[in-house]
């Protein structure tokens, strides 16, 4: 697995609009715990995941990166 920064750079080079990432990757990118992500999600303060299976969700990388950029003021 690539380090987070390399992964972000790689993902930016492909069509980020369609790239989906798992909860563990969202946690790595945001540095938030899984519980914190779900708490923010429940409060409507985090991007909504996409259901990709009966018991599986993923996030659009572009949504997560936009969320990070809005909080840091820096493009990731």
């Amino acid at each position: 697995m690539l380090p987070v920064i390399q992964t972000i750079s790689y993902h930016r080079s492909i069509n980020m609009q369609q790239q989906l990432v798992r909860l563990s990757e969202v946690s790595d990118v945001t540095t938030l715990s899984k519980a914190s992500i779900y708490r923010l999600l429940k409060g409507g303060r985090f991007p909504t995941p996409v259901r990709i299976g009966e018991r599986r969700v993923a996030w659009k990388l572009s949504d997560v990166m936009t969320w990070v950029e809005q909080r840091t003021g820096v493009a990731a």
Side-chain angles (χ1 to χ4, degrees), residues 12-54:
R12 280 206 177 268
S13 68
I14 61 175
N15 187 354
M16 193 165 68
Q17 202 63 15
Q18 296 180 15
Q19 180 68 37
L20 298 175
V21 291
R22 298 180 316 238
L23 178 59
S24 61
E25 295 169 310
V26 173
S27 181
D28 288 344
V29 169
T30 62
T31 69
L32 295 171
S33 70
K34 294 173 185 179
S36 293
I37 291 168
Y38 278 113
R39 187 172 29 257
L40 289 169
L41 183 62
K42 184 177 180 180
R45 298 176 298 171
F46 198 78
T48 305
V50 176
R51 184 160 298 282
I52 59 173
E54 190 173 316

